[in-house]
Structure formats: structure tokens, C-alpha cells
Amino acid sequence: MPETGRARDARGYSMKEHIGWALIGASNVARQWIVDAIRVQNDSSIVTVLSSSEERGAKFANENAIPAHVTDIGAILADDRVNAVYISTANQFHHAQTMAAAAAGKHVLCEKPLALRVTDAHDMIAACRTAGVVLGINHHLRCNAMHQELRRLLAEGAIGRLNAVRVFHANFLAQALHGWRINDAGGGGLILDSTIHDIDTLRFLIGSNPTHVMAMTQSGRLAHDGVEDGIMVIMRFPGDVLVQIHGSYTVPFSEGGVEFYGSDGVLVGRDCMSQRPAGRLFIRNADGEREIPIHHHNLYHYALATFSGAVRGRGQPAATGEDGLAALAIALAIRESALTGRQIEVDIP
Ligand code: NDP
């Protein structure tokens, strides 16, 4: 129940508790996952959506029952009903839009990559901290219940000392997404779109950052202008743990997964690299193989629940700005390795 003595909005919610959202970007991911994830949270509503196109904004607002649409971010920044923004524009806009939102005192849930440059990510974190607003980043895979159980098992030593990890994250990019991902050498490409999720998931599961990375990429099966559409990465994590990632936009019929090899056993996660609440987890050791039951939840509902809690002063977003910066720094080191053919030491400022 709303507390007495506090300002209330029209629905009777405490203004401190109610989260009025603006969607910055009339995007696929907002339509498919985030609109619903916001609406299932307590005391939350979507006030408006920003699109650079009046026509696209109107269509998006109409199709998603959002009461207003704007083409100018200034209208959102000046709107007192908005206290949080979800930024899901193309990657090159995340930095400027986050800086503007923070300066206006709006909490920010930003899509990955946080920015295109580490220095920009750094500025975004500092700006949100100075403004006293929450900055979260939507690395959804750490919200998957299977990965959360896998992390718990690794931390309790279920497979002994970790030796090596393999990540399988190849699929065939849906036709609807054959835009900036495959033709924008600046903001597109597999590394900042998909490999960065693998990186965040590995950081979440292993609990540390890689020290060194090496990578080779493919291009030209689907992407053009040198934009990568396939990748193999090798990384070294602290404790001499070797990690391999295969990622691709061009492999149909593949199933995403992870394998963790330890001194006392193996943990295998299957079908666990998508946006769906899916994934089966198996442990194999001297006792044989056993499936570990997972009680799945919607990844985006979870992300929005943790972010909303943080806005209300309870806990942190599932992935923080610092997580976004670390994943970006590692992703850029991977890209540098692919471009130069050298092993790159990872530097996370
Ligand atoms: P979209 O391509 O759907 O949307 C990105 C922007 O492109 C929109 O903000 C929109 O600009 C513009 N746009 C959308 N439709 C059209 C169109 N028909 N013609 C021209 N421009 C259009 O992006 P995604 O939803 O695929 O990705 C958005 C962000 O979310 C990216 O940063 C991506 O990395 C991230 N993402 C994250 C996922 C996750 O699970 N965490 C999953 C998918 C993406 P405008 O608003 O000005 O109309």
C-alpha cells in the first residue's frame, strides 16, 4: 500500500515508488521484451516513446498502447512524470542519451554495449553517480535461472578447481535484424552485439575478468564492409583458466550452450544462450550424469525487477554500469586482437 503523507499520482501510488518510464528507441527489443517486462512490475507505467521518426513513433505507441510518442529527447527530459528511461537505440546513441538522461535526473537502463568507447562508458557511470541516479545495463543472460544455478554450483566448488570453459553461441541472425548489425562497421558487428553477452555471462559465472584475449573473426557470409559475422575467441582468466567462445550470425540449427570443466567434474548447460527462459543443466562426475532441475523465470522480468528495486533504494540492477564497462573493455580487446592478430592484455580502468 502507498505510504500516507506522500505525494500520490493519479493511480494512488506514492510518487517516490511509482516509476514512469520513457522508452528511448522504438526498437525490436523494446517491443518484444521490455514493454511487457515494465508492465508486470509493481507501480510502473510507460509514459512515452521516443523515435527519430514521427511515423514510426506513432505506430510503435499505437501498437503497444503507449499514450504518447515524441521525436525530441528534450520532451522526455522535461517531463516530470518520467523518472526512468530505457535506452535501446542503435549502439552509437547510448552514450549521448545516457548523459542527457542523467543530467535531467532520470534513472537509466541502457542496452548493451554501454558505449562504443571505454572512456564514454566511464563518463556515463560518473554522470549517473553525480546525478544520484541508477545506471543498469541489460545483459539479460545473467538473469537466466540456469546461469544463476550454474554460478551457485561453481562458487560452492561442485566441480572442484576450474580448468577450462567452452561457450557455444552461434545462430542464424533473423531476417528482421539484417540492418545495422551487419552493415555498420562502427556500431554493428557480432562482437558488440553478441560476444559481449558471452563476456558478461562468463564474468558473472566465473566471478573475475579475463587477463588476456585472442580472437579471429569471419566476415562476408552475411555481413559486409568488413563487419564480423563469426568469431572464435580464446581467453585466459585468473587461476590459469582457459576459455573458448564460438559465436556466429551465420550458423543455422545450432544450440547455444556452455561447458565448464573442473578437476572433479563437468557442468554442461544446453540451450541457455537465448532470450527465452530456457536452459538445461547437467553435472557429470564420478557418480555419473545427473540433470539439475531449474525453475525458469522470464529474464527481462527479472532484469526489470532488480532495476526497479534499485531505483527504490533496494539492491542493485542485475548488471550495473561497471559491469557494462568491463564487458565493453573486454569486447574491444577482442576486436583489437582480431584486427591485429595479436594477443591483447585486458585493461579495465
Ligand atoms: P532496432 O534496429 O529494432 O532499433 C534500433 C533503432 O533503430 C530504433 O531506436 C529506431 O530508431 C531505429 N529503427 C527501428 N526500426 C527501424 C526501421 N524500420 N527503419 C529505420 N530505423 C529503425 O534495434 P534492436 O532492438 O535490435 O536493438 C536495439 C538495442 O538493443 C541495441 O543496442 C542492441 O544491442 C540491444 N539489444 C539487446 C538485447 C538484449 O536482449 N539485451 C536484444 C536485442 C538488442 P528510432 O527510435 O529513432 O525510430
Side-chain angles (χ1 to χ4, degrees), residues 258-333:
V258 294
E259 294 186 351
F260 281 73
Y261 307 106
S263 55
D264 303 338
V266 177
L267 279 161
V268 177
R270 298 187 57 190
D271 189 25
C272 58
M273 302 305 285
S274 78
Q275 297 172 293
R276 292 173 289 112
R280 295 177 68 190
L281 185 60
F282 301 84
I283 188 162
R284 206 157 54 231
N285 54 26
D287 298 329
E289 182 173 287
R290 175 169 71 85
E291 180 165 3
I292 294 160
I294 304 294
H295 303 289
H296 280 288
H297 50 242
N298 181 302
L299 285 60
Y300 297 89
H301 292 190
Y302 185 95
L304 265 292
T306 58
F307 184 87
S308 305
V311 166
R312 293 168 177 142
R314 298 188 289 274
Q316 288 199 318
T320 62
E322 286 78 5
D323 290 316
L325 183 147
L328 175 66
I330 298 162
L332 294 178

Side-chain angles (χ1 to χ4, degrees), residues 191 212-217 231-235 329-346:
I191 296 173
H212 295 81
V213 300
M214 290 184 76
M216 285 189 195
T217 52
I231 193 164
M232 288 272 188
V233 184
I234 307 168
M235 304 196 265
I330 298 162
L332 294 178
I334 286 171
R335 188 156 80 180
E336 186 183 345
S337 173
L339 289 172
T340 62
R342 289 191 291 112
Q343 176 176 234
I344 304 296
E345 191 169 344
V346 176

Side-chain angles (χ1 to χ4, degrees), residues 111-294:
E111 269 305 342
K112 38 53 65 172
L114 190 53
L116 298 183
R117 300 185 311 180
V118 172
T119 50
D120 288 346
H122 215 275
D123 291 347
M124 293 156 80
I125 292 170
C128 288
R129 191 174 295 140
T130 302
V133 296
V134 174
L135 174 60
I137 178 144
N138 193 26
H139 277 302
H140 62 289
L141 287 173
R142 60 167 65 205
C143 302
N144 179 307
M146 195 219 79
H147 286 301
Q148 293 170 343
E149 177 63 6
L150 174 53
R151 173 177 146 115
R152 194 189 65 73
L153 288 168
L154 290 167
E156 75 175 26
I159 57 168
R161 181 181 171 194
L162 190 58
N163 182 332
V165 184
R166 293 203 297 162
V167 176
F168 312 88
H169 195 169
N171 52 38
F172 195 87
L173 191 67
Q175 182 71 39
L177 305 182
H178 289 193
W180 54 266
R181 282 178 172 79
I182 59 170
N183 62 27
D184 177 1
L190 186 73
I191 296 173
L192 291 182
D193 187 40
S194 174
T195 312
I196 198 164
H197 280 311
D198 307 332
I199 295 164
D200 180 71
T201 307
L202 286 162
R203 294 184 65 249
F204 175 71
L205 293 172
I206 299 175
S208 58
N209 294 310
T211 56
H212 295 81
V213 300
M214 290 184 76
M216 285 189 195
T217 52
Q218 294 170 315
S219 180
R221 282 173 167 73
L222 193 62
H224 24 91
D225 301 327
V227 176
E228 76 280 355
D229 54 21
I231 193 164
M232 288 272 188
V233 184
I234 307 168
M235 304 196 265
R236 190 185 300 279
F237 274 69
D240 203 17
V241 176
L242 289 179
V243 173
Q244 178 194 31
I245 300 172
H246 173 228
S248 180
Y249 281 154
T250 66
V251 176
F253 314 117
S254 179
E255 181 188 76
V258 294
E259 294 186 351
F260 281 73
Y261 307 106
S263 55
D264 303 338
V266 177
L267 279 161
V268 177
R270 298 187 57 190
D271 189 25
C272 58
M273 302 305 285
S274 78
Q275 297 172 293
R276 292 173 289 112
R280 295 177 68 190
L281 185 60
F282 301 84
I283 188 162
R284 206 157 54 231
N285 54 26
D287 298 329
E289 182 173 287
R290 175 169 71 85
E291 180 165 3
I292 294 160
I294 304 294

